[in-house]
Structure formats: C-alpha cells, structure tokens
Amino acid sequence: MKLSNFLLCCLGVQERTSVALRTGFKQHARLNSTLPGTEAALDTELVLQEFVNYEQQGVPDSAGTNGKKGFDLVGLHKLLAALGQPQAHMSAIHIAGTKGKGSTAALLASMLTQSQIRTGLYTSPHIKTITERIMINGQQISEADFAGLAALDASVMQHALQGTFGSLTHFEVLTSLAFRHFQRKQVQLTVVEAGLGGVADATNVFEPAQLACAVITAIDNDHMSALGGSIESIAEAKAGIMKPNRPVVIAKQPYPTALQVLEQHARQLDCPIIHPQDCIELLPKETVREGSTMIQTVTAKPRGLSWMQPTELKLALLGRHQLDNAAAAIAAADVVREQGWLGIAQDTVLQGLQQTALPGRLQVVQAPSRQGSNNNWLVLDGAHTAQSATALAETVRELFPERPVALIVAMAAGKDHKAVMAALRAVRPAVVLFTSVDIAGSSQRSCSPGTLVAHWQAAALSRPKGQPRFRSRELIQASVAVAYQKAESELEAQQNSDGGVIVVCGSLHAVADAQKILDL
C-alpha cells in the first residue's frame, strides 16, 4: 500500500492509533526524501512507544514465572498469527540464563556466520541504539530498515494499536517485528537471547520442530521478585525454553540446586543434555595487548569433538568467565553441526571466537583522555550481580595488578546492591565515585548513589577474612560524565608513570553513558 493511501485509511481510526501511525509514517515519508539519519528509527519507535515498556517501569512480581501472575503471551501469539507466524519459518538456537547469555549468543552467532551460514541474532538490551538488537551476519539492522518494520506490516500494526490482539508489551511487539525481519531476509539459523526468564518470555514461541537447540547459561540472583524469589524458581523459569526431545546445552552452574532443577526439567521432557565440559576444556594462557585493546589466548582441548583438534585460540572477550561462555557456544555449535550444518569446522569456530566483540561486557580499551595525553586504560562492564562483579574485580586485578583504579558505579534499583558492593571491593580502588543513571530512558528505576555508598561502607566493616585492607576516597558525583572527569583528575593525582585504570560498571546504561561521553 502506498504511504499516501495508508494515511487516508488512518483518518478513521481512534486517536491513539492515528497519532502513532500517522505521525510515524509522515516522518518515514519525510526522511525517505532526504538522506537517512538517526531519526529514521522514529517510525517503528513511535509505534513501540504505545505499548507498556517494562524495561523502563520494572517487571511486576512473578511476571516471568509460569504462575497466575506470569505474562500469558496470548496477545503475542495472536500478533504472530496475524504476521503469518514468522517464528515457524525459522530454525532457532534459544539461549536463556542470568549471566553470560548475551556473550554466548554473540560468540555462537559469530561462529555460525564464519561457517557461511546466514545467521540472525536477536539480543537485549541495547547500549546505544535499539537497532543493536537485530543483526544478520554480524551487521545490525540499518536505521532505515528498522524505521520501516512497522510500515511493512501496517495493517497488523494498526490492529495491534487498536487492541485487537489484547494486551501487548513493547518487548513483545519488537520481538515479533524482529522475527518477521529474519523471515523476510531468509535467515538460515537464528540465535535468540531470552529477555527475562524464559518460560513466560516473548522469545519463547518456538515449537520443537523449530528449536535446533536450547542453551542455559549460568543462573544467578537477579530479577528475583519477577522470577519467583529463589535460585530454584529462577532456574525453573529459565528451563521453560526447553522443548520435548530437543537438545539442551547446560553451561557450568555456580549453584548445584540450579543445576538439579535444570537437569530434572530436561529429563522430564526427554531432552538430550549436553554439558560443555564434556565437549571441550578451555584453559587461560595469557592476556596481551593488541593495539588499543587486549585479547586473551586460550588452550583448547576438545573432548569427543571429531572436527576439532587441540589448539590455541584467541578470544576477544576478556575474563576467565568468558571461557565458560565460549565452551557453551562451542557445544551448541557441535549440536547444530550434528544436525547437518557441516560448514562448522575448527577454523570457522576459531575465527568466530576471535572476531566476537561485545561492547560493555568487560570491554577493555586505551582510555581516550579529555585532559591531555595519558596512559590510562578504560574498563566498561555492565556487571550488576555479585557473580559478574566478582568476575570483573578478578579480571581488573589480574590485568592491572599495580595500577591505581578509579571505580565509577551506577546501578538500577531492585538489584542486590549489598552483594555487588561487597564483590567490587576486591578491585581495591584508589577512588570510588558513586552516581546515578537513567534506566531505559527513565529515572524511576535508578538507584540513588547514597544507597550505594551505604552498602560500600557496610561491606568494609564485614569484609571476608583474609581480604586485605585498603583505603579509598569515596565521592558522590552528579552524573557519569562528571564522575569520569573526576576519575581522570584523581588518577592524575596518583602520579603513576604507567597511568591508571578507570572502571565504569553497575549497569549497561552507565556503560552507554560512558561510551557516549567518550565517543566510543
């Protein structure tokens, strides 16, 4: 349908619908007459803004469980039916977990792409722009293509806005449009990261025939209230992506009870269980500087993988915890290879591992200075659980044992601030700067810096036996931008000839602010 005809059709719909659609498509027409720019994403985003966004508001209690309070997905299935069931035309690897699911998804998608498989990747949340969530062969969807997603299924979107399909969320509509995009682009395999939990997540719409493999990464204490309040209930929610008789890769689990829940669920569904440690052993060798960033070399010892030989590989994602994610991705690649994708080979897997970049996940770069030249390094990590904060602290101290550290922390409300602050103390920073950051564009879910200070100081009084004492300056700053500037001056005052390290952590939204400030 031509845009002009569509605008005429919109005149009779209710006000809420016409505002979103008419404004969106007018913007689309105006932009298409000029060079496409960042505003080109306004069309679809205007439509998405009409639906409740739980990333901004916070997820209701138990919404990610299979109970009465869980998301029912009824409206989502009606929307997908109206779109022609795009997920039914996909072969998917579905990944859930608390920690490492984004890294595992990116690593696996990179391996498949290097294996000449047309690969879609759907992840969340984004750091800079929503287009980061939808990728094909390592390239995110263009601003112009994203802008037109809603227009390509204009009639369906009109019905969605009118409430024809019932209640829908921002994430459900976005997920549906992403799957429709992958269908149009004839993607061969799609790696899909679950948003929250699994059983009641908008990505959990695949029938067994469409599920090549499920992957469960490490389970940890996060989104506790939304997922039932315990490690066991979180594991149960994540296990909801498993499908009868379909293989599941269960990554290394920090909690034995979580592993028990996952394995029991898999056995009930007759799912073949694959443990990555039974497929391959990855041992850290060294982390070295490569240009303005770093890379870790790893010794790989395959176990039962006929297509891999013992070798050394390079991994662009840093930290020992990434070895577990890489092993899970390799195990999933082996499952897919057994299903006939024989292009997956040792050389394509090694290339995929080395070329995987994931901004904001233990991202280490030479720090750009706004106060003249220096030798500072910058570490950006969205760590917001005790497990991820521990991994961050260990990696920082391993990479920079003698350099002074300026730690910038901003977090969302509803996290285990006490546990995260206790874990971050292992960084032993010279200065720690507490600030706040908008979460998904809204301040209503931001944690106050005063709360973080209180937990930091309390952790000092209850430090684990054997943990060395240290002294650090503790400062509250108005924003990430102000905190970064202060961190530079504080490190300069340390007068270390090798420079220092600025660590920004606590939330991917804090990382996004830092990237914007530094034009990374």
Side-chain angles (χ1 to χ4, degrees):
M1 181 184 292
K2 294 182 179 179
L3 289 177
S4 58
N5 292 338
F6 179 79
L7 288 173
L8 292 175
C9 292
C10 285
L11 293 177
V13 301
Q14 60 187 1
E15 185 61 25
R16 186 169 74 94
T17 304
S18 63
V19 168
L21 288 173
R22 289 205 309 266
T23 306
F25 291 120
K26 285 178 181 177
Q27 182 72 12
H28 181 74
R30 182 180 66 80
L31 286 168
N32 281 347
S33 66
T34 60
L35 290 174
T38 57
E39 281 185 282
L42 286 177
D43 295 11
T44 299
E45 285 190 321
L46 282 172
V47 172
L48 290 172
Q49 286 170 15
E50 294 296 310
F51 301 96
V52 60
N53 187 342
Y54 287 116
E55 291 180 34
Q56 292 180 342
Q57 299 182 13
V59 181
D61 289 352
S62 300
T65 69
N66 201 26
K68 293 181 179 179
K69 295 183 179 180
F71 294 124
D72 62 23
L73 306 185
V74 171
L76 170 64
H77 282 287
K78 290 180 179 178
L79 172 59
L80 288 168
L83 290 170
Q85 303 289 15
Q87 80 284 0
H89 302 276
M90 297 164 54
S91 182
I93 300 101
H94 200 185
I95 303 178
T98 308
K99 304 308 303 176
K101 59 190 174 85
S103 297
T104 302
L107 289 163
L108 178 57
S110 182
M111 295 178 199
L112 299 178
T113 298
Q114 291 299 320
S115 302
Q116 302 303 307
I117 299 169
R118 187 164 175 79
T119 305
L121 175 62
Y122 182 63
T123 60
S124 61
H126 61 272
I127 293 182
K128 290 183 179 180
T129 171
I130 198 169
T131 57
E132 297 167 21
R133 302 188 184 205
I134 305 172
M135 305 183 76
I136 296 177
N137 286 352
Q139 299 297 314
Q140 68 187 53
I141 186 173
S142 69
E143 297 282 354
D145 282 349
F146 184 82
L149 288 181
L152 289 172
D153 288 295
S155 177
V156 175
M157 288 299 103
Q158 177 182 332
H159 284 295
L161 286 162
Q162 289 177 299
T164 302
F165 310 123
S167 177
L168 289 167
T169 70
H170 178 283
F171 187 65
E172 289 172 346
V173 176
L174 177 60
T175 300
S176 301
L177 291 174
F179 290 174
R180 186 80 169 94
H181 177 69
F182 292 141
Q183 178 193 5
R184 286 195 195 95
K185 298 298 182 179
Q186 298 182 323
V187 164
Q188 294 175 290
L189 283 174
T190 306
V191 180
V192 179
E193 177 191 2
L196 175 79
V199 65
D201 188 70
T203 61
N204 193 27
V205 293
F206 300 106
E207 294 295 328
Q210 281 78 54
L211 186 68
C213 178
V215 181
I216 311 290
T217 62
I219 305 297
D220 197 7
N221 291 297
D222 196 19
H223 300 293
M224 293 289 286
S225 62
L227 296 177
S230 69
I231 284 292
E232 293 80 7
S233 65
I234 293 174
E236 188 67 34
K238 309 289 185 183
I241 70 167
M242 299 181 194
K243 297 292 182 287
N245 302 303
R246 303 308 299 153
V248 57
V249 174
I250 302 178
K252 182 179 178 181
Q253 295 296 322
Y255 296 96
T257 53
L259 179 60
Q260 291 172 7
V261 170
L262 295 172
E263 290 184 334
Q264 180 181 8
H265 195 92
R267 286 192 293 269
Q268 290 173 346
L269 294 175
D270 292 324
C271 297
I273 300 174
I274 299 95
H275 294 292
Q277 60 268 30
D278 295 334
C279 299
I280 192 166
E281 182 182 17
L282 298 178
L283 301 171
K285 186 176 180 181
E286 62 179 342
T287 301
V288 297
R289 179 171 178 172
E290 196 166 276
S292 61
T293 185
M294 291 187 174
I295 195 165
Q296 64 174 324
T297 56
V298 178
T299 299
K301 298 180 178 180
R303 296 171 174 171
L305 300 181
S306 60
W307 50 277
M308 280 197 75
Q309 301 298 318
T311 187
E312 285 190 1
L313 58 85
K314 291 184 177 181
L315 191 59
L317 302 185
L318 303 183
R320 297 189 179 217
H321 62 292
Q322 292 291 3
L323 302 188
D324 294 333
N325 299 329
I330 292 171
D334 181 59
V335 171
V336 173
R337 189 179 190 278
E338 290 296 314
Q339 295 174 9
W341 298 96
L342 300 181
I344 298 171
Q346 178 162 318
D347 60 335
T348 64
V349 166
L350 299 186
Q351 291 169 13
L353 291 171
Q354 183 172 350
Q355 294 184 19
T356 303
L358 201 58
R361 281 79 164 184
L362 249 170
Q363 180 184 0
V364 180
V365 296
Q366 191 79 47
S369 174
R370 301 181 300 169
Q371 299 183 3
S373 61
N374 63 31
N375 296 318
N376 292 339
W377 283 87
L378 173 64
V379 180
L380 301 174
D381 192 64
H384 58 271
T385 69
Q387 183 181 333
S388 56
T390 297
L392 169 63
E394 290 175 350
T395 304
V396 169
R397 292 286 35 139
E398 181 181 343
L399 295 180
F400 309 104
E402 304 298 331
R403 295 192 184 215
V405 175
L407 184 65
I408 300 173
V409 188
M411 296 186 69
K415 304 299 180 182
D416 191 350
H417 306 116
K418 178 181 178 180
V420 173
M421 292 303 104
L424 287 176
R425 288 191 67 85
V427 175
R428 302 192 299 279
V431 58
V432 55
L433 304 110
F434 302 96
T435 186
S436 62
V437 64
D438 286 352
I439 306 299
S442 171
S443 62
Q444 68 185 86
R445 288 185 57 216
S446 301
C447 177
S448 72
T451 297
L452 299 178
V453 171
H455 286 299
W456 177 270
Q457 294 175 342
L461 300 176
S462 58
R463 63 186 178 88
K465 186 177 180 180
Q467 187 180 86
R469 293 182 179 274
F470 66 94
R471 300 182 67 179
S472 63
R473 282 167 52 79
E474 298 159 7
L475 306 171
I476 291 179
Q477 302 292 293
S479 66
V480 172
V482 174
Y484 190 89
Q485 187 173 11
K486 183 64 174 175
E488 285 187 315
S489 61
E490 289 285 329
L491 289 179
E492 186 177 356
Q494 295 287 317
Q495 297 182 338
N496 187 303
S497 59
D498 292 329
V501 183
I502 299 175
V503 179
V504 181
C505 65
S507 167
L508 284 176
H509 302 285
V511 168
D513 273 12
Q515 289 183 337
K516 183 177 179 180
I517 294 160
L518 301 171
D519 196 26
L520 293 177

PDB file of all heavy atoms in Angstrom, residues 90-102:
ATOM      1  N   MET A  90      11.553 -20.313  11.014  1.00  0.00           N
ATOM      2  CA  MET A  90      12.923 -20.147  11.494  1.00  0.00           C
ATOM      3  C   MET A  90      13.426 -21.436  12.114  1.00  0.00           C
ATOM      4  O   MET A  90      12.651 -22.259  12.591  1.00  0.00           O
ATOM      5  CB  MET A  90      12.973 -19.034  12.564  1.00  0.00           C
ATOM      6  CG  MET A  90      12.595 -17.666  12.068  1.00  0.00           C
ATOM      7  SD  MET A  90      12.216 -16.507  13.421  1.00  0.00           S
ATOM      8  CE  MET A  90      13.693 -16.629  14.420  1.00  0.00           C
ATOM      9  N   SER A  91      14.741 -21.598  12.100  1.00  0.00           N
ATOM     10  CA  SER A  91      15.418 -22.613  12.896  1.00  0.00           C
ATOM     11  C   SER A  91      16.228 -21.851  13.936  1.00  0.00           C
ATOM     12  O   SER A  91      17.080 -21.028  13.579  1.00  0.00           O
ATOM     13  CB  SER A  91      16.336 -23.471  12.023  1.00  0.00           C
ATOM     14  OG  SER A  91      16.952 -24.486  12.800  1.00  0.00           O
ATOM     15  N   ALA A  92      15.947 -22.082  15.222  1.00  0.00           N
ATOM     16  CA  ALA A  92      16.472 -21.206  16.256  1.00  0.00           C
ATOM     17  C   ALA A  92      17.327 -21.938  17.280  1.00  0.00           C
ATOM     18  O   ALA A  92      17.091 -23.113  17.604  1.00  0.00           O
ATOM     19  CB  ALA A  92      15.315 -20.516  16.979  1.00  0.00           C
ATOM     20  N   ILE A  93      18.318 -21.244  17.784  1.00  0.00           N
ATOM     21  CA  ILE A  93      19.038 -21.629  18.995  1.00  0.00           C
ATOM     22  C   ILE A  93      18.618 -20.628  20.054  1.00  0.00           C
ATOM     23  O   ILE A  93      18.878 -19.425  19.918  1.00  0.00           O
ATOM     24  CB  ILE A  93      20.563 -21.597  18.808  1.00  0.00           C
ATOM     25  CG1 ILE A  93      20.991 -22.561  17.701  1.00  0.00           C
ATOM     26  CG2 ILE A  93      21.259 -21.976  20.117  1.00  0.00           C
ATOM     27  CD1 ILE A  93      21.285 -21.905  16.394  1.00  0.00           C
ATOM     28  N   HIS A  94      17.932 -21.101  21.075  1.00  0.00           N
ATOM     29  CA  HIS A  94      17.334 -20.229  22.082  1.00  0.00           C
ATOM     30  C   HIS A  94      18.198 -20.264  23.336  1.00  0.00           C
ATOM     31  O   HIS A  94      18.469 -21.352  23.877  1.00  0.00           O
ATOM     32  CB  HIS A  94      15.909 -20.703  22.392  1.00  0.00           C
ATOM     33  CG  HIS A  94      15.056 -19.659  23.031  1.00  0.00           C
ATOM     34  ND1 HIS A  94      13.772 -19.920  23.471  1.00  0.00           N
ATOM     35  CD2 HIS A  94      15.281 -18.348  23.324  1.00  0.00           C
ATOM     36  CE1 HIS A  94      13.250 -18.816  23.984  1.00  0.00           C
ATOM     37  NE2 HIS A  94      14.156 -17.865  23.914  1.00  0.00           N
ATOM     38  N   ILE A  95      18.610 -19.094  23.815  1.00  0.00           N
ATOM     39  CA  ILE A  95      19.556 -19.016  24.932  1.00  0.00           C
ATOM     40  C   ILE A  95      18.944 -18.237  26.086  1.00  0.00           C
ATOM     41  O   ILE A  95      18.505 -17.092  25.927  1.00  0.00           O
ATOM     42  CB  ILE A  95      20.873 -18.343  24.490  1.00  0.00           C
ATOM     43  CG1 ILE A  95      21.477 -19.121  23.309  1.00  0.00           C
ATOM     44  CG2 ILE A  95      21.858 -18.269  25.648  1.00  0.00           C
ATOM     45  CD1 ILE A  95      22.757 -18.521  22.759  1.00  0.00           C
ATOM     46  N   ALA A  96      18.911 -18.858  27.264  1.00  0.00           N
ATOM     47  CA  ALA A  96      18.448 -18.208  28.485  1.00  0.00           C
ATOM     48  C   ALA A  96      19.520 -18.370  29.552  1.00  0.00           C
ATOM     49  O   ALA A  96      20.441 -19.170  29.420  1.00  0.00           O
ATOM     50  CB  ALA A  96      17.117 -18.797  28.952  1.00  0.00           C
ATOM     51  N   GLY A  97      19.373 -17.628  30.645  1.00  0.00           N
ATOM     52  CA  GLY A  97      20.347 -17.677  31.731  1.00  0.00           C
ATOM     53  C   GLY A  97      20.430 -16.318  32.384  1.00  0.00           C
ATOM     54  O   GLY A  97      19.906 -15.327  31.863  1.00  0.00           O
ATOM     55  N   THR A  98      21.096 -16.254  33.510  1.00  0.00           N
ATOM     56  CA  THR A  98      21.246 -14.971  34.200  1.00  0.00           C
ATOM     57  C   THR A  98      22.496 -14.240  33.728  1.00  0.00           C
ATOM     58  O   THR A  98      22.453 -13.069  33.412  1.00  0.00           O
ATOM     59  CB  THR A  98      21.324 -15.183  35.728  1.00  0.00           C
ATOM     60  OG1 THR A  98      20.215 -15.972  36.155  1.00  0.00           O
ATOM     61  CG2 THR A  98      21.300 -13.852  36.451  1.00  0.00           C
ATOM     62  N   LYS A  99      23.598 -14.959  33.702  1.00  0.00           N
ATOM     63  CA  LYS A  99      24.858 -14.360  33.289  1.00  0.00           C
ATOM     64  C   LYS A  99      25.416 -15.107  32.079  1.00  0.00           C
ATOM     65  O   LYS A  99      25.333 -16.336  31.994  1.00  0.00           O
ATOM     66  CB  LYS A  99      25.897 -14.413  34.424  1.00  0.00           C
ATOM     67  CG  LYS A  99      25.420 -13.772  35.714  1.00  0.00           C
ATOM     68  CD  LYS A  99      24.883 -12.362  35.536  1.00  0.00           C
ATOM     69  CE  LYS A  99      25.886 -11.404  34.907  1.00  0.00           C
ATOM     70  NZ  LYS A  99      25.271 -10.072  34.668  1.00  0.00           N
ATOM     71  N   GLY A 100      25.963 -14.358  31.144  1.00  0.00           N
ATOM     72  CA  GLY A 100      26.660 -14.952  30.015  1.00  0.00           C
ATOM     73  C   GLY A 100      25.809 -15.268  28.805  1.00  0.00           C
ATOM     74  O   GLY A 100      26.336 -15.674  27.760  1.00  0.00           O
ATOM     75  N   LYS A 101      24.486 -15.042  28.889  1.00  0.00           N
ATOM     76  CA  LYS A 101      23.665 -15.408  27.732  1.00  0.00           C
ATOM     77  C   LYS A 101      23.941 -14.495  26.534  1.00  0.00           C
ATOM     78  O   LYS A 101      23.948 -14.953  25.393  1.00  0.00           O
ATOM     79  CB  LYS A 101      22.184 -15.423  28.080  1.00  0.00           C
ATOM     80  CG  LYS A 101      21.579 -14.139  28.592  1.00  0.00           C
ATOM     81  CD  LYS A 101      20.157 -14.387  29.130  1.00  0.00           C
ATOM     82  CE  LYS A 101      19.570 -13.141  29.781  1.00  0.00           C
ATOM     83  NZ  LYS A 101      18.944 -12.219  28.878  1.00  0.00           N
ATOM     84  N   GLY A 102      24.169 -13.213  26.793  1.00  0.00           N
ATOM     85  CA  GLY A 102      24.487 -12.302  25.697  1.00  0.00           C
ATOM     86  C   GLY A 102      25.820 -12.630  25.048  1.00  0.00           C
ATOM     87  O   GLY A 102      25.950 -12.628  23.814  1.00  0.00           O
TER      88      GLY A 102
END
